[in-house]
Amino acid sequence: MSLRGVVRRAAGSLVHRLWAAVREAGTVTPASPGGYRFRRLGEGACLSFPVGAIFGEAWIEIGEHTLVGERVSISAGMGPGVDLGPDAIVRIGRSCSIGRGSHIVGHQSIDIGDDVFTGPYVYITDQNHVYDDPEAPIGRQWPRNTPVSIGSGSWLGTGAIILPGTRIGRQCVVAGGAVVRGEFPDHSVIAGVPARVVRHYVPGRGWLPPHPDGADTVNGADGTDIVNAATALDGLGDMEDLSDAARAPVTVRARPPIPE
């Protein structure tokens, strides 16, 4: 190996070691100075370096052993230094994994359960711009807040967007790129723009498609409609009785001639 190659290899190794040391030193943990600013940062939780835009830490709770990826932005309120009241605004449960480059933007209430995993570049917000006044610039109209909740055990695919007012049940899957708004029951597979339920788990039957009448969403947080739809399919078993009747002899009568 040439001298130039040796120098380049040594320099590359040194850069990688220095970068690893910087990442370790820059990671926010309960024991680091940055960790003290949070309302709660559970044991074993960490925000990977480089961190994204983080402000309003006094209104952000992150549970035990939750990993927040690189360049994830988490914010509470419109900007730093604003008093948001006595309660937490953003709550992330324990043992979660928030993918790199994601944004969690809270103004009123974002509640993420335990064991929730997201892919990279997921966007979650409880605030949206309004366009009530057709003459005023939309960006200058006062935004509207609606709480968001994501049930424990759920998975949000890469690039999913969770809009204000969304309530996702437990153990749900949100497909990558889905734009989600509305209420979705436990054990749903949610996909599309706008998102809808494409699969729903029914005990004893497995994962079923939506209601056979073509409804795009499932009514009722307990999934009653889908269970009823699945039960209705049991009626197909009664077709055996009809098939017996179908095997019975059939008398075919000729149509009488049409007078000329």
Side-chain angles (χ1 to χ4, degrees), residues 4-255:
R4 183 178 180 181
V6 172
V7 171
R8 175 174 292 183
R9 183 173 182 178
S13 177
L14 178 61
V15 167
H16 284 287
R17 290 188 179 189
L18 288 173
W19 179 243
V22 168
R23 290 183 61 188
E24 183 176 356
T27 296
V28 178
T29 68
S32 67
Y36 296 134
R37 295 197 294 266
F38 285 85
R39 182 183 183 94
R40 186 171 75 88
L41 188 59
E43 179 183 358
C46 70
L47 285 75
S48 302
F49 182 86
V51 298
I54 308 289
F55 60 81
E57 294 96 322
W59 292 271
I60 298 174
E61 297 181 354
I62 300 177
E64 293 78 7
H65 305 291
T66 285
L67 171 63
V68 178
E70 300 176 2
R71 299 180 176 85
V72 171
S73 295
I74 307 176
S75 61
M78 299 293 287
V82 179
D83 186 353
L84 301 175
D87 301 322
I89 300 295
V90 176
R91 294 169 295 275
I92 303 174
R94 65 178 182 272
S95 301
C96 296
S97 178
I98 309 300
R100 67 182 181 276
S102 294
H103 290 67
I104 301 174
V105 183
H107 297 273
Q108 180 178 352
S109 176
I110 294 179
D111 195 342
I112 299 174
D114 301 329
D115 300 297
V116 172
F117 284 63
T118 84
Y121 309 111
V122 169
Y123 186 83
I124 304 171
T125 184
D126 63 356
Q127 185 179 88
N128 208 351
H129 291 283
V130 299
Y131 45 92
D132 298 334
D133 186 343
E135 301 301 326
I138 293 173
R140 296 186 181 278
Q141 298 186 44
W142 195 253
R144 186 174 294 125
N145 303 329
T146 315
V148 168
S149 67
I150 299 172
S152 296
S154 294
W155 160 258
L156 279 61
T158 300
I161 298 174
I162 310 301
L163 295 174
T166 297
R167 298 178 62 86
I168 298 174
R170 298 182 306 105
Q171 303 288 121
C172 289
V173 175
V174 177
V179 178
V180 185
R181 185 171 188 175
E183 298 191 14
F184 300 87
D186 298 344
H187 303 101
S188 295
V189 179
I190 305 161
V193 181
R196 61 187 181 89
V197 174
V198 296
R199 288 288 186 275
H200 186 86
Y201 185 77
V202 177
R205 299 184 177 277
W207 294 91
L208 300 179
H211 196 289
D213 66 2
D216 288 339
T217 58
V218 179
N219 296 322
D222 59 356
T224 301
D225 287 354
I226 282 185
V227 173
N228 290 342
T231 304
L233 294 177
D234 282 342
L236 295 178
D238 298 334
M239 294 297 289
E240 293 178 1
D241 298 335
L242 296 179
S243 64
D244 291 339
R247 285 192 291 267
V250 177
T251 301
V252 179
R253 297 180 179 176
R255 176 182 295 180

Side-chain angles (χ1 to χ4, degrees), residues 254-260:
R255 176 182 295 180
I258 299 175
E260 296 182 358

